């Protein structure tokens, strides 16, 4: 499991930035596939992974909570039974990665505050752990990710100081950082997430196969020709 | 003092971008990617969420 934020490099390093939203089922699958690629990458110790914020639905009103199936049925105009059938494929592929998605209990919320928490966590070197914890909470555990108490608890699970998290979540700290991440994704041409950028040179869009991530890591590594930053 | 990389050390296929001179002493802030931008790897159409939808 990827918890690394900053890894000390010897001579080379590859920086992988991943734009992702905590409610994005393909992002969690993509995360697992990247992790598996890193397990097979001979220079994994020289790879730095950074999770960047992206909101799939920034227009979702803050404070509005709705069961995922109900929200999808409303948005797409089908029945909840039809929506359930639509999600079968992603659930099956997630299960292949060891992720037991539970959309029956998932709640659609605005994820902006969850991303602000992740930026606080990054300041503590816990960005990867927090993103992982929040995705699990949203997609598997049915937690409500716009609730301050819930976010404080989930952050504390991975070591984010609870008092600091509460202060941030009750204010507006890290708003600019989240907005900047989203703006940068748009600048780089991301049209969806997950979106992976290696060394600001190579882009990989979507939950690609493990072999693709491995190939991308090797390509980026081979083209590192400057000393580690 | 400029912190920009010299042309000799820049990878030919690297993303180039305009940078803000005010921030050149530190990490440059990227204003916009310049064509050709990122080299895209992997097949198009891999599963992803876009426009608020994943299905």
């Amino acid at each position: 499991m990827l918890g690394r934020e900053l890894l000390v490099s010897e001579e080379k390093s590859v920086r992988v930035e991943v734009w992702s939203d905590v409610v994005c089922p393909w992002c969690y699958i993509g995360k697992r596939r990247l992790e598996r690629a890193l397990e097979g990458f001979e220079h994994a110790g020289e790879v730095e992974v950074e999770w960047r914020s992206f909101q799939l639905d920034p227009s979702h009103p803050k404070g509005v909570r709705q069961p995922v199936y109900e929200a999808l049925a409303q948005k797409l105009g089908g029945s909840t039974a039809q929506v359930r059938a639509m999600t079968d494929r992603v659930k099956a592929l997630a299960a292949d990665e060891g992720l037991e998605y539970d959309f029956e209990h998932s709640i659609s919320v605005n994820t902006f505050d969850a991303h602000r928490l992740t930026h606080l966590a990054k300041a503590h070197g816990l960005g990867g752990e927090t993103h992982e914890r929040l995705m699990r909470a949203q997609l598997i555990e049915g937690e409500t990710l716009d609730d301050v108490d819930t976010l404080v608890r989930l952050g504390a699970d991975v070591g984010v100081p609870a008092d600091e998290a509460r202060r941030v979540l009750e204010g507006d700290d890290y708003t600019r950082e989240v907005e900047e991440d989203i703006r940068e994704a748009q600048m780089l041409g991301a049209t969806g997430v997950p979106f992976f950028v290696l060394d600001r040179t190579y882009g990989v869009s979507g939950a690609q196969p493990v072999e693709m991530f491995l190939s991308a890591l090797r390509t980026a590594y081979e083209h590192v020709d400057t000393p580690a930053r | 003092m400029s912190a920009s990389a010299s042309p000799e050390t820049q990878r030919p296929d690297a993303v180039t971008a305009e940078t803000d001179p005010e921030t050149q002493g530190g990490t440059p802030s990227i204003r916009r990617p310049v064509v050709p931008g990122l080299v895209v790897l992997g097949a198009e159409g891999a599963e992803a969420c876009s426009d608020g939808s994943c299905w």
Side-chain angles (χ1 to χ4, degrees), chain A residues 2-19:
Chain A
L2 263 191
R4 61 193 132 212
E5 279 286 298
L6 295 171
L7 294 177
V8 176
S9 171
E10 294 167 10
E11 293 184 352
K12 291 182 172 186
S13 70
V14 173
R15 183 182 184 213
V16 181
E17 296 167 274
V18 190
W19 275 265

Side-chain angles (χ1 to χ4, degrees), chain B:
Chain B
M1 183 73 72
S2 170
S4 300
S6 70
E8 290 76 20
T9 60
Q10 190 168 17
R11 277 177 279 169
D13 57 348
V15 174
T16 53
E18 287 189 348
T19 57
D20 182 348
E22 296 298 316
T23 63
Q24 283 192 350
T27 304
S29 69
I30 297 172
R31 283 187 191 149
R32 64 178 178 84
V34 177
V35 175
L38 296 176
V39 177
V40 178
L41 303 175
E44 288 183 20
E47 287 96 345
C49 297
S50 60
D51 297 330
S53 178
C54 308
W55 322 104

Side-chain angles (χ1 to χ4, degrees), chain A residues 80-132:
Chain A
T80 51
Q82 288 171 317
V83 167
R84 279 188 182 89
M86 278 169 47
T87 60
D88 283 350
R89 182 161 177 273
V90 69
K91 284 175 70 175
L93 289 172
D96 289 345
E97 302 296 336
L99 303 170
E100 297 297 330
Y101 286 173
D102 179 6
F103 295 125
E104 293 289 344
H105 297 98
S106 290
I107 308 292
S108 286
V109 298
N110 186 297
T111 59
F112 198 88
D113 286 345
H115 285 294
R116 291 197 300 119
L117 175 67
T118 304
H119 275 276
L120 167 66
K122 278 169 82 168
H124 288 277
L126 295 167
E129 289 87 341
T130 301
H131 193 62
E132 167 76 28

